Each structure stands twice: as C-alpha cells, then as structure tokens.
Amino acid sequence: MASLRDLGLSEYEARAYRALLRTGATTAKELSRASDVPMGRIYDVLNSLEQYHLIRSQAASRPKKYVAVEPDTALDRLLESKRQELDEKAQQYQEVVDELTTELDAAEPVHDQFWTAAVGDDETVDLLIERLSAADESLVMVAGTPSPQFDLGAVGDLVVEEIEAALERGVEVSVLMSPDMVDSLPESVGRRYMDQLSDHPQFHVRTAENLTGVFNLIDDVEVCIEVPNPLDPGQAFAMIDLKDPDFAADLRETFEPRWERAVPLAL
C-alpha cells in the first residue's frame, strides 16, 4: 500500500500532514492531539513540513496556525524532491564509477588462456555484448552465414550500439561478410549499419567469397565464436568466448590475406 513515507516523509511528518488535511487551519498544540505526534516533536515536524513546502503558517496569529497545502500540489513537490535526490545520487554513483574505471583500467591486463560458453538466447546475447564492450583497440567481425547479430531486432540494435560505442572509444572496427550474407540481409539492416557507421574513418566493411561461420576477434587476444542452432541456422545456439593470444594471432594471420583480397562494400 502506498504511503507518504515512500516519498520521503517520516512517520510523524506523514501523520501531521494527514491530520492537517482533516482539521484545516490549526495550532501546533491542537495538531499534536489530532495527529498523535508528541508535543515535544511537533514543532520539529512542522518545520520539516514547511521546508518541504507542504504546509503554510500564519505567523501573525497568536498562537501560530498551520494549514496543509492541497494534496496534488504537495505530492508534486514531494515527487520533484525525490527526483532531485535521485539525480544527485545518480551523479554521485557516476563519479564513483568514473574514478574506479580509471583506477581499475590502470592495471595491466593479464592475457592468460581462458574460455567460457553461453547457451540460450539471452545468455548468448549477454556474453556477446559484454565482450564487444571490452574492445579497446580493434574489433574484427566476420559473418559468412546468417546471424542474429547482423539481423533486425533487439540483438542487431544492441550490436550496432556497441559498435558505435567502440568507435567512440577509438576502436578500429572491421566487418567482413560473404556476398550471400549481404544479399540475405533486409534492406533496412544495410541502411542501419551503413547510414550510422559507414562515414566513420575507423569503420570498414568488405565482402569476400567462401566465408563460413560467425566470429568476433577482439583486441587480437580474444575470440567470440557463434555456434548456430542446427535446427535453425539463422539463430544462435551458443556463444564460445576464448581468450588465447596464440589462437587469436593465428586467426588474425588467416584473416589478413582474406581482408586484403576482399572488396569494399558499396551500397
């Protein structure tokens, strides 16, 4: 059940405001009785409600009287106060993240071998997006067969967002696709990738014959390999992430001549 306490008021403050709505203009002593707020606390409570701009006082009267602001206005003011509080908190958390990012990024990366796998739609997407977001220097994306990451919908949108973010970080992004893969994409996909990304000097797309599989080479030390669903090749069944500098170097060595012979994509 909703409560004024959910919007930041204390129990005594909520009681006093509700009581003022019932009583109309009244004194602190009368309000203490009507709200069950102890007399020793009532003035602090009234001062707090005035700071929230939830009540108005009539200082000229003796004794001083108080009246509640209309509920719609009072709730709007409490909501705005909460929004400001959350904005300040969000800014504080952002400053903490910025400081920790600088501190943690200062550590030298360890390039030991490590692999992990994700199975299922959500888990596969999460792993893919996580690893794309880790790229610092280079990102090679190869697609010889249909893949959700090069298709319409939520996955494709997330991948485009990560490519844009990588380019903003200064990452060199190279995308190599088979002509059949390009032909299989809806026209709107080509527009999305090319219109938003093709003008960037560090974004390159080429096509090459006889490409198979789908993988991403990240910073020349890590490889994300998509495992297609055997019942539906257009859908990913699993994602394998392999962090192995030697394997990544071999893959880069194989990729380079294919890339050199590939044809720049023209839309």
Side-chain angles (χ1 to χ4, degrees), residues 142-146 176-178 181 208-215 225-226 228 251 258:
V142 175
T145 53
L176 182 62
M177 294 187 286
S178 67
M181 177 67 188
E209 300 285 352
N210 302 319
L211 283 179
T212 58
V214 177
F215 69 86
I225 304 172
E226 186 177 291
L251 194 60
R258 299 295 301 275

Side-chain angles (χ1 to χ4, degrees), residues 141-145 150 175-182 185 193-194 205-209 211 259 262-263 265:
M141 308 179 76
V142 175
T145 53
F150 289 92
V175 180
L176 182 62
M177 294 187 286
S178 67
D180 290 341
M181 177 67 188
V182 174
L185 294 176
Y193 273 77
M194 296 302 104
V205 182
R206 297 183 183 182
T207 62
E209 300 285 352
L211 283 179
W259 179 257
V263 179
L265 181 62

Side-chain angles (χ1 to χ4, degrees), residues 35-210:
S35 63
D36 290 329
V37 175
M39 193 63 198
R41 294 292 312 279
I42 194 65
Y43 286 105
D44 288 339
V45 169
L46 288 168
N47 287 337
S48 180
L49 290 174
E50 281 193 292
Q51 290 177 358
Y52 278 117
H53 303 291
L54 304 185
I55 65 172
R56 294 180 286 114
S57 61
Q58 186 177 8
S61 63
R62 292 291 183 269
K64 187 176 183 179
K65 289 188 175 182
Y66 302 85
V67 67
V69 169
E70 290 74 8
D72 286 349
T73 301
L75 292 173
D76 285 345
R77 288 172 178 174
L78 284 174
L79 179 58
E80 182 58 28
S81 176
K82 269 296 178 185
R83 283 174 173 160
Q84 291 178 1
E85 179 183 327
L86 291 173
D87 287 344
E88 291 172 1
K89 282 289 185 184
Q91 181 60 38
Q92 291 173 7
Y93 290 138
Q94 184 61 57
E95 291 171 359
V96 170
V97 168
D98 292 343
E99 183 176 342
L100 287 175
T101 298
T102 301
E103 175 189 334
L104 297 175
D105 283 349
E108 287 296 324
V110 178
H111 295 315
D112 291 338
Q113 290 183 347
F114 182 82
W115 73 273
T116 188
V119 178
D121 292 342
D122 292 341
E123 292 79 3
T124 297
V125 172
D126 287 346
L127 180 58
L128 172 65
I129 298 303
E130 173 194 305
R131 301 325 304 153
L132 294 181
S133 68
D136 288 324
E137 298 177 0
S138 65
L139 176 59
V140 171
M141 308 179 76
V142 175
T145 53
S147 165
Q149 65 176 293
F150 289 92
D151 206 345
L152 281 172
V155 178
D157 289 342
L158 290 172
V159 170
V160 171
E161 290 173 5
E162 287 304 328
I163 292 175
E164 291 173 335
L167 291 170
E168 290 178 4
R169 295 194 301 273
V171 177
E172 189 85 14
V173 179
S174 304
V175 180
L176 182 62
M177 294 187 286
S178 67
D180 290 341
M181 177 67 188
V182 174
D183 292 340
S184 72
L185 294 176
E187 182 181 350
S188 53
V189 175
R191 286 201 305 268
R192 175 76 192 274
Y193 273 77
M194 296 302 104
D195 291 350
Q196 296 185 18
L197 303 172
S198 62
D199 289 339
H200 198 288
Q202 290 181 271
F203 181 71
H204 318 282
V205 182
R206 297 183 183 182
T207 62
E209 300 285 352
N210 302 319

